Amino acid sequence: MTTTTPAIKLHNTKTRKKSEFTPIDAKNVRMYLCGPTVYDRAHLGNARPVVVFDVLYRLLRQIYGADHVTYVRNFTDVDDKINATALARKEAGAVGTLEELVQQRTEETIGWYLSDMGKLGALEPDHMPRATQYIGQMITMIEDLIAKGHAYSDGAGHVLFSVKSYDNYGHLSGRSVDDMIAGARVEVADNKRDPMDFVLWKPSTDDLPGWDSPWGRGRPGWHIECSAMSQDLLGASFDIHAGGNDLMFPHHENEIAQSCCANGDDSFAKVWLHNEMLQVEGKKMSKSLGNFFTVQDLLQQGVSGEVIRLVFLQTHYRKPMDWTEKKAKEAEATLRKWRALTTGIEPAASAAAAVLDALADDLNTAGAIAELHKLASAGAAAELLASAQLLGLLTDELGDWAKAAKVDLSNYEHHLSKARQSAMETKDFSEVDRLKTAYIAAGLEVRMSKAGVELVPGSDFDPAKLEGL
């Protein structure tokens, strides 16, 4: 058990170095994670930042106290992709206005998302704002940016942010504006003063979701949503902003520009954390390669949320993560062993010092899991349980899959033990060999010693193969 609190060190994308984390206010440590655009099921890549930064949330709560951490993860519930799914439903004969179908789709998708992330062991954040609940705050922020000379209306319902009005644009991603124009598909439009200027507000048709504004009926651009929601819930300046590195440009770059210009200084998020992307069997996940799947797809295939979580955490968040079937099977076998070791055990008062130290070192979940293996090998069940639960593993909530698959093997152990005893007397080991072969074929590890016989289920254990023995 640990008696000291480790100092957290985090790799800040903005400074490009790892440094000690010191919160603005230790009584209210504040973190924002960019959440999903709710038009469809969450795919496996969408789940990685949720699981990774859920561990950070747990660590912050452990060190600063659960009542002193505020975690916000938003829902983008106004977007062209959502509108497209609703339009497709309407064209297929769904009843209701287009706006009603948009609302139905977002409610349905948010429900799916929360269910799926819960099955991966993710705690629900303290706040889960929806963009549509913060339109007023967005309009106020846009008006302020116009008044300060950082944004302009084209007179036809669009408001755009003037990128050249913010000198530090590009600092997060480390690219100049010229580099960004050359390397990105920038929409060049007649209403832009500069090709890099981005939309803060745009017109909406009468049948699509829209809100009254000084620039006419319309809806917000994507980037302004997170700036307005984080400012309202966490303040103009807060501790940590996290997300996938695919959001670094343009989304996070644009957030910084508009928020700092609204604040009148360079205050916004103090630390920026970005997780790397996910691959499947060594290849980028894509529908064209046939290796694209949702969290729900895996769950329906019988891969438990706890197994998915452990596979995720075996790779450091700043490294690309490769999902493989082999890793999933090995993770399941590991979790079965850990759950067997900790059955009926009360967790220790705190996680092992080595586990805490690993997590405090830029969220080194891979190092923390290596320490869990050491605890398991040493038979330190109580400390293993407390340490695993800090990572969101071996919790009661995630244990149903292991309970459901649990089979009483005592009768099979008894038969092999009797056959072994008889063979020692007759020197005929044919029955022992037959049973061992059958047990191994069913996915059991057969352990025989002077103390007796033990059967341990492996990741491919199939109880049906024991029938008839």
Side-chain angles (χ1 to χ4, degrees):
M1 290 185 290
T2 183
T3 55
T4 59
T5 300
I8 298 177
K9 292 183 178 179
L10 298 172
H11 185 276
N12 189 348
T13 306
K14 198 168 186 180
T15 62
R16 290 163 183 73
K17 64 182 181 181
K18 183 166 66 174
S19 53
E20 188 169 327
F21 171 69
T22 305
I24 298 167
D25 176 6
K27 294 289 179 69
N28 185 18
V29 183
R30 288 158 286 165
M31 178 170 74
Y32 187 93
L33 175 64
C34 286
T37 300
V38 287
Y39 66 95
D40 207 348
R41 286 274 189 187
H43 62 67
L44 201 58
N46 299 143
R48 191 183 187 195
V50 175
V51 171
V52 163
F53 297 116
D54 175 70
V55 175
L56 179 57
Y57 180 42
R58 290 170 183 269
L59 178 65
L60 293 172
R61 286 162 61 96
Q62 172 85 9
I63 290 178
Y64 294 99
D67 295 336
H68 301 302
V69 180
T70 305
Y71 175 28
V72 177
R73 187 186 68 219
N74 74 296
F75 288 114
T76 294
D77 61 345
V78 52
D79 182 84
D80 291 340
K81 289 180 179 177
I82 302 172
N83 295 343
T85 59
L87 184 60
R89 282 188 172 188
K90 188 167 183 64
E91 289 173 349
V95 178
T97 65
L98 195 54
E99 193 159 1
E100 287 170 344
L101 293 173
V102 166
Q103 177 71 13
Q104 288 173 20
R105 183 60 170 177
T106 57
E107 290 295 334
E108 177 181 57
T109 310
I110 288 171
W112 288 342
Y113 184 85
L114 292 176
S115 174
D116 288 348
M117 296 308 112
K119 287 171 184 171
L120 300 185
L123 299 172
E124 288 199 353
D126 301 287
H127 301 282
M128 294 185 287
R130 302 184 185 195
T132 53
Q133 298 168 335
Y134 288 79
I135 300 295
Q137 290 90 329
M138 294 175 206
I139 290 172
T140 298
M141 183 175 275
I142 294 169
E143 288 180 310
D144 184 46
L145 288 169
I146 292 173
K148 290 175 177 174
H150 295 294
Y152 57 93
S153 169
D154 69 352
H158 294 86
V159 180
L160 296 109
F161 182 87
S162 175
V163 166
K164 286 190 175 176
S165 74
Y166 180 59
D167 292 338
N168 288 333
Y169 192 83
H171 182 67
L172 180 71
S173 55
R175 294 183 286 181
S176 70
V177 172
D178 289 339
D179 288 340
M180 292 179 198
I181 292 173
R185 289 177 295 177
V186 176
E187 182 188 352
V188 179
D190 293 338
N191 64 340
K192 288 185 177 184
R193 294 177 184 172
D194 186 274
M196 289 300 296
D197 291 352
F198 57 87
V199 172
L200 299 174
W201 190 265
K202 56 186 174 183
S204 222
T205 58
D206 290 341
D207 57 339
L208 288 171
W211 293 264
D212 292 333
S213 80
W215 318 285
R217 187 175 186 276
R219 59 189 191 271
W222 175 32
H223 314 298
I224 196 68
E225 298 174 8
C226 286
S227 286
M229 288 185 281
S230 64
Q231 183 187 70
D232 191 81
L233 292 166
L234 298 176
S237 184
F238 55 93
D239 297 294
I240 297 169
H241 195 311
N245 66 358
D246 57 325
L247 299 180
M248 194 185 305
F249 176 81
H251 185 51
H252 290 163
E253 202 75 76
N254 292 352
E255 270 191 79
I256 290 172
Q258 62 203 12
S259 293
C260 289
C261 288
N263 296 343
D265 55 32
D266 272 338
S267 64
F268 182 40
K270 186 177 176 183
V271 177
W272 286 84
L273 303 178
H274 290 94
N275 66 277
E276 256 288 357
M277 294 296 97
L278 177 138
Q279 299 174 324
V280 175
E281 303 289 349
K283 297 178 181 178
K284 182 179 179 181
M285 187 169 71
S286 71
K287 290 180 179 176
S288 62
L289 291 175
N291 65 351
F292 179 95
F293 42 82
T294 67
V295 173
Q296 185 62 21
D297 289 336
L298 279 183
L299 294 172
Q300 288 182 342
Q301 289 168 20
V303 182
S304 77
E306 188 173 34
V307 166
I308 297 171
R309 186 180 183 95
L310 179 55
V311 173
F312 278 0
L313 298 182
Q314 286 172 336
T315 302
H316 191 275
Y317 77 95
R318 288 197 301 112
K319 293 181 179 178
M321 202 223 87
D322 190 18
W323 173 272
T324 68
E325 191 175 330
K326 181 172 183 266
K327 285 182 183 178
K329 287 183 176 179
E330 289 172 348
E332 181 177 329
T334 294
L335 288 167
R336 286 191 187 281
K337 289 175 185 176
W338 288 355
R339 282 194 171 272
L341 183 62
T342 57
T343 298
I345 299 290
E346 285 295 315
S350 67
V355 172
L356 267 174
D357 288 344
L359 293 180
D361 182 15
D362 195 29
L363 214 58
N364 184 3
T365 54
I369 288 167
E371 296 298 332
L372 295 186
H373 282 292
K374 291 179 186 177
L375 291 171
S377 296
E383 226 173 352
L384 169 64
L385 186 56
S387 302
Q389 288 181 347
L390 179 58
L391 280 88
L393 299 165
L394 304 190
T395 62
D396 291 340
E397 294 81 6
L398 291 187
D400 285 348
W401 70 273
K403 293 173 189 171
K406 196 169 183 181
V407 175
D408 184 3
L409 298 172
S410 58
N411 202 29
Y412 299 98
E413 290 172 340
H414 176 68
H415 277 296
L416 181 56
S417 183
K418 281 190 70 176
R420 183 186 179 208
Q421 187 177 353
S422 175
M424 296 294 283
E425 295 170 0
T426 65
K427 306 304 180 185
D428 179 4
F429 285 85
S430 58
E431 179 64 5
V432 172
D433 292 339
R434 184 186 77 83
L435 290 174
K436 277 182 64 179
T437 300
Y439 293 165
I440 291 169
L444 292 171
E445 180 186 345
V446 180
R447 299 175 182 174
M448 293 194 292
S449 65
K450 290 180 181 179
V453 171
E454 183 185 10
L455 300 177
V456 180
S459 60
D460 56 348
F461 173 50
D462 182 359
K465 291 183 178 179
L466 294 176
E467 293 176 8
L469 289 176

